[in-house]
Amino acid sequence: MKISVIGTGYVGLVTGACLAEIGHEVVCTDNDASKIEMLEAGGIPIYEPGLENVIPRARKEGRLSFRANPADAVAFGDAFFICVGTPPLPNGDADLSAIDHVARVIATEAKSPKLVIEKSTVPARTGQELKRALSVYARKSNVKFHVASNPEFLREGTAVGDFLHPDRIVVGVDDERAERQLKDIYRPVLDRKFNCPVHTSCCPDGPAPVWQTTTINSAELIKHASNSFLALKISYANMVADLAEQLGADIGEVVRAMGMDPRIGPSFLSAGLGYGGFCLPKDLQAFVHLAERSGVDFTMLREAEKINKRRIGHFVEKLRGALWVVRGKQIGVLGLAFKPNTDDVRFAPAIDLVNHLLGEGACVRAYDPKAMEKARAILPQIEYAKSAYEAAKDAEALIIATEWDEFRKLDWDRIREAMARPLIVDGRNLLSPREMQDRGFEYRSFGRPD
Ligand code: UDX
């Protein structure tokens, strides 16, 4: 099929590249001309593992191209994926102005009926508004549009694999034709008929994704409800960790056993600095607002949000407990991205933490394997190290703020020698307390006996 993808952020670029990978002809567009220029020149504006293989191959084979002019993308596609940002407004609501803008462009440029699919995370009922907007903006041409919601469940860092091997594909539609078109789009993923660029051996044997057709309202709600539930789960684990700390229990042991219960499941129970990124915090806020406007009291989610915000203060208390005075001290920070395997620093707990430390008068030298360029743009006032060892040099404390695999395998003897005081405060429970103590470190983490 001929597909246009509007928006080339983390979601749009992965969606466009993977749709091309499974055999469609795809044109991606973005109103940020510099991004399109970079993509056309062979660059990739984000770090997302797998894209470095998928994008050049699809371009070489002529299935993927980038256009700065959105009218070109509208003229090209039979179906459009809307993947533009829906950032939070000051009151926490999702800002839907980019979606409205795209609707206007599609409606004024399209000459024949099109399928318009919302992939950006949006509050329930946005699809209805989108339908209305398209018909209002197309009143002169009288072109008809079908609208569908196809929420993404892509995790940054593993998004290419998540797209090609999803556990479920949710499509919200209100007519059969839209559902048929979406099935055609996803057919290779459903039948697992493509050469997987990320897991070469798993395609034939892995379970096929579950296809769930819903109403448009339900599809929109599924996405918000899923992400809010994940946030709730993390905050719950963090509260249990605080309790474990007081009672002398070990949160690692506790969540391991909890997770063996299939009703609970093992994921998203890691205690630490809390959740960040561009999805969970904003989706939870928008969901709470949606509930409030709908007359439903979802205070429970507000609590989850408060718990998450308190993680940074709680962590700084731990650091202060060890250092006594923070002002004037040299502190090394390992990790700036909101989670490993991404360069994304939006709403990253690590960034909040560094700001907190700077506010207390600490001197910070940070290192991240991929996110330093993006961090520099929002945190120009700290020092950036070329390696974890350089970040540790002369530091009176070394903080682990993102659980990159690389940090598990450091030469800890070398780190200890480089530091002014061998103190590690682990915000992600990445390391073993026993092992670090045996190596001569003072070691603090969340919810585990010191
Ligand atoms: C999330 C959803 O998982 C995905 O389905 C959706 O489409 C987009 O939002 P993402 O934002 O990439 O994906 O990150 P995710 O892997 O969900 O992690 C979110 C945050 O929670 C990270 O900051 C992570 O460090 C934190 N986290 C995760 C924890 O603190 N503890 C955990 O146990 C798991």
Side-chain angles (χ1 to χ4, degrees):
M1 272 179 80
K2 288 185 163 187
I3 299 172
S4 301
V5 176
I6 303 169
T8 58
Y10 286 88
V11 173
L13 197 53
V14 171
T15 301
C18 290
L19 287 170
E21 177 72 29
I22 60 173
H24 298 295
E25 283 179 60
V26 181
V27 164
C28 296
T29 185
D30 198 295
N31 62 2
D32 181 345
S34 67
K35 262 192 200 169
I36 297 296
E37 210 173 294
M38 183 175 187
L39 285 159
E40 276 183 318
I44 303 179
I46 54 168
Y47 172 70
E48 183 59 48
L51 283 185
E52 72 286 1
N53 301 326
V54 176
I55 292 181
R57 184 170 45 234
R59 289 188 73 212
K60 201 165 142 226
E61 291 169 10
R63 275 176 284 108
L64 178 65
S65 61
F66 302 98
R67 305 277 159 75
N69 184 357
D72 292 347
V74 176
F76 176 82
D78 297 318
F80 304 120
F81 278 90
I82 304 184
C83 302
V84 294
T86 51
L89 288 166
N91 72 357
D93 266 340
D95 181 352
L96 301 175
S97 54
I99 301 225
D100 178 52
H101 175 73
V102 169
R104 194 184 289 275
V105 174
I106 293 175
T108 44
E109 298 290 340
K111 307 277 180 280
S112 56
K114 308 276 183 183
L115 173 64
V116 181
I117 308 151
E118 31 162 70
K119 210 168 213 358
S120 312
T121 302
V122 289
R125 306 200 63 75
T126 303
Q128 308 303 337
E129 293 297 339
L130 178 61
K131 240 194 272 176
R132 199 152 60 107
L134 285 165
S135 75
V136 170
Y137 299 147
R139 69 185 181 285
K140 286 196 182 133
S141 63
N142 212 18
V143 171
K144 295 281 173 269
F145 296 95
H146 296 267
V147 169
S149 163
N150 171 224
E152 53 85 15
F153 302 106
L154 309 175
R155 294 160 301 171
E156 287 181 29
T158 53
V160 173
D162 290 346
F163 188 97
L164 298 169
H165 305 285
D167 39 22
R168 76 258 202 229
I169 298 174
V170 173
V171 294
V173 287
D174 54 13
D175 65 279
E176 275 176 22
R177 190 188 140 150
E179 187 189 1
R180 264 201 316 277
Q181 273 180 290
L182 272 152
K183 268 224 169 107
D184 287 344
I185 292 173
Y186 281 108
R187 178 65 53 207
V189 172
L190 288 166
D191 296 347
R192 313 190 128 247
K193 286 221 172 84
F194 58 92
N195 290 322
C196 176
V198 274
H199 320 113
T200 38
S201 58
C202 71
C203 292
D205 312 321
V210 174
W211 178 272
Q212 193 187 349
T213 309
T214 68
T215 62
I216 297 179
N217 285 343
S218 294
E220 291 163 339
L221 192 57
I222 286 167
K223 175 63 198 277
H224 261 152
S226 302
N227 272 5
S228 297
F229 185 76
L230 292 175
L232 201 61
K233 209 173 169 192
I234 297 169
S235 284
Y236 184 83
N238 278 325
M239 289 312 292
V240 178
D242 289 357
L243 191 57
E245 212 163 290
Q246 297 306 318
L247 302 176
D250 181 328
I251 185 67
E253 293 173 350
V254 174
V255 295
R256 189 159 172 267
M258 280 173 65
M260 287 177 199
D261 183 334
R263 292 169 303 174
I264 297 175
S267 334
F268 277 69
L269 287 174
S270 303
L273 279 170
Y275 61 81
F278 202 59
C279 285
L280 261 51
K282 86 171 166 63
D283 288 359
L284 185 132
Q285 269 189 25
F287 199 43
V288 171
H289 270 253
L290 178 71
E292 275 169 6
R293 267 189 284 109
S294 314
V296 174
D297 181 1
F298 226 146
T299 319
M300 181 192 189
L301 291 180
R302 283 244 182 262
E303 277 307 312
E305 192 182 23
K306 275 191 212 150
I307 292 165
N308 196 56
K309 284 197 175 130
R310 284 202 300 265
R311 297 318 284 167
I312 305 290
H314 187 32
F315 182 88
V316 175
E317 275 311 312
K318 266 182 201 300
L319 180 70
R320 198 178 290 117
L323 277 182
W324 180 39
V325 171
V326 174
R327 177 169 299 279
K329 301 236 162 110
Q330 180 69 39
I331 294 177
V333 173
L334 298 187
L336 293 163
F338 85 94
K339 67 173 189 180
N341 301 319
T342 178
D343 61 350
D344 196 348
V345 293
R346 292 173 299 173
F347 300 101
I351 302 287
D352 263 5
L353 174 62
V354 170
N355 277 321
H356 223 94
L357 297 174
L358 294 176
E360 297 233 356
C363 308
V364 175
R365 192 183 303 125
Y367 168 73
D368 187 286
K370 293 285 175 201
M372 290 203 284
E373 204 183 310
K374 295 220 158 101
R376 226 180 231 117
I378 51 174
L379 267 181
Q381 65 277 50
I382 64 165
E383 259 186 85
Y384 290 90
K386 289 196 184 68
S387 67
Y389 304 102
E390 198 181 307
K393 194 168 175 301
D394 300 327
E396 292 192 54
L398 186 64
I399 288 171
I400 299 176
T402 314
E403 65 278 34
W404 282 93
D405 224 19
E406 167 177 334
F407 301 154
R408 284 179 217 274
K409 304 168 199 150
L410 292 172
D411 176 345
W412 290 105
D413 293 334
R414 189 173 157 201
I415 295 265
R416 196 190 52 243
E417 289 312 309
M419 292 180 72
R421 172 180 169 180
L423 166 66
I424 292 185
V425 191
D426 184 348
R428 296 291 176 184
N429 287 5
L430 182 74
L431 307 169
S432 143
R434 162 90 45 92
E435 201 186 316
M436 296 320 283
Q437 275 149 16
D438 287 351
R439 285 181 179 277
F441 286 97
E442 292 170 68
Y443 177 81
R444 312 273 163 114
S445 58
F446 280 107
R448 302 191 292 182
D450 283 338

